[in-house]
């Protein structure tokens, strides 16, 4: 009798262990990326396979830049040009769906291909306004009449060899205000800094690298002639970024990111005579944006 009881107990125990093994096989393993800030994982869920979207507003700062202008009768470079951004005044434009593209904004859509890595595409709508008037170094030449039909250049005509020149609005207006559009693909990494006990609120550091195209709408007047040109593929850009992401819930989050980048444009539209007149420019920029996002 005793042997029979032991045999029945062993059989039931074996069935229980087999059932647990089968459940473990059917239950997927949650893969959570290791954080730079902790040796232990505090989340019990993975972001892998999720998508996200966010929208926000930015401020930008620009390093001194060289701008080259070329066309019939002229080829000159303005060196160490200063410029600033043009943020919209705080108004209902920031929450009006019909006016969301008016301020300086950022939009991004991404996909987590691993728990702590994502790939995204997005649009940084910055604005660039050359300071006028300002004193710059000029190198090159300007004929008394440039472009075709001819544009009179007046006192600006001459041959320049790294001379000082005060640029006024009768010589040049130069803006990318609709805007300096950087359309890029990025790869991001996320490292948990803090996770609440309820696993819903959390703070993470985001870092990333990106590259893409620059599609400005340039408003230019060269010796009084020009227009607010249409958008065009003017060049390329590369960037790096770092920031903080705070989850209010597992899906809703706020984000603040600083991005540093380099832009090279060799097909900037100027007078509207795009087959003969153009400008070239490289820009080093620093951008900070704050966004609200949702993860699906």
């Amino acid at each position: 009798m005793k042997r029979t009881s032991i045999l029945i107990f062993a059989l039931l125990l074996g069935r229980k262990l087999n059932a647990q093994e089968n459940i473990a096989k059917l239950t997927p393993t949650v893969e959570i990326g290791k954080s730079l800030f902790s040796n232990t994982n505090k989340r019990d869920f993975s972001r892998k396979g999720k998508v996200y979207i966010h929208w926000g507003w930015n401020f930008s700062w620009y390093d001194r830049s060289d701008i080259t202008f070329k066309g019939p009768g002229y080829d000159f470079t303005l060196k160490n040009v200063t410029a600033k951004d043009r943020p919209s005044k705080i108004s209902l434009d920031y929450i009006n769906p019909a006016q969301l593209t008016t301020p300086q904004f950022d939009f991004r859509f991404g996909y987590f291909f691993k728990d702590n890595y994502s790939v995204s595409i997005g649009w940084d709508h910055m604005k660039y306004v050359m300071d006028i008037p300002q004193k710059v170094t000029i190198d090159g030449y300007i004929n008394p009449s440039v472009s075709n039909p001819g544009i009179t250049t007046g006192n600006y005509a001459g041959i320049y060899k790294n001379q000082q020149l005060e640029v006024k609005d009768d010589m040049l207006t130069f803006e990318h205000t609709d805007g300096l559009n950087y359309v890029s693909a990025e790869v991001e990494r996320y490292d948990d800094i803090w996770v609440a006990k309820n696993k819903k609120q959390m703070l993470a550091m985001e870092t990333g690298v990106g590259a893409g195209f620059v599609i400005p709408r340039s408003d230019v007047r060269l010796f009084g002639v020009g227009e607010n040109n249409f958008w065009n593929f003017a060049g390329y850009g590369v960037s790096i970024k770092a920031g903080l992401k705070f989850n209010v819930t597992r899906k809703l989050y706020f984000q603040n990111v600083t991005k540093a980048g380099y832009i090279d444009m060799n097909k900037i539209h100027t007078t509207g005579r795009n087959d003969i007149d153009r400008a070239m420019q490289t820009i080093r920029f620093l951008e900070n944006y704050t966004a609200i996002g949702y993860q699906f």
Side-chain angles (χ1 to χ4, degrees), residues 4-69:
T4 303
S5 299
I6 292 172
L7 182 62
I8 293 173
F9 175 75
L11 182 62
L12 292 174
L13 180 62
R15 288 182 177 179
K16 183 178 181 180
L17 292 174
N18 288 334
Q20 290 175 343
E21 289 177 359
N22 291 333
I23 292 173
K25 290 178 181 178
L26 293 174
T27 303
T29 302
V30 177
E31 297 181 2
I32 301 176
K34 188 174 179 59
S35 172
L36 293 172
F37 302 99
S38 176
N39 292 323
T40 59
N41 292 318
K42 297 182 180 180
R43 283 185 289 115
D44 57 1
F45 67 93
S46 174
R47 305 184 189 96
K48 184 177 180 181
K50 304 293 185 180
V51 298
Y52 70 84
I53 185 172
H54 67 236
W55 184 282
W57 297 273
N58 70 64
F59 294 90
S60 303
W61 299 266
Y62 304 104
D63 195 6
R64 292 177 179 268
S65 176
D66 293 351
I67 311 174
T68 298
F69 296 85

Side-chain angles (χ1 to χ4, degrees), residues 228-241:
N228 188 9
N229 295 274
F230 288 106
W231 297 271
N232 71 297
F233 285 89
Y236 70 91
V238 292
S239 58
I240 59 174
K241 67 179 181 180

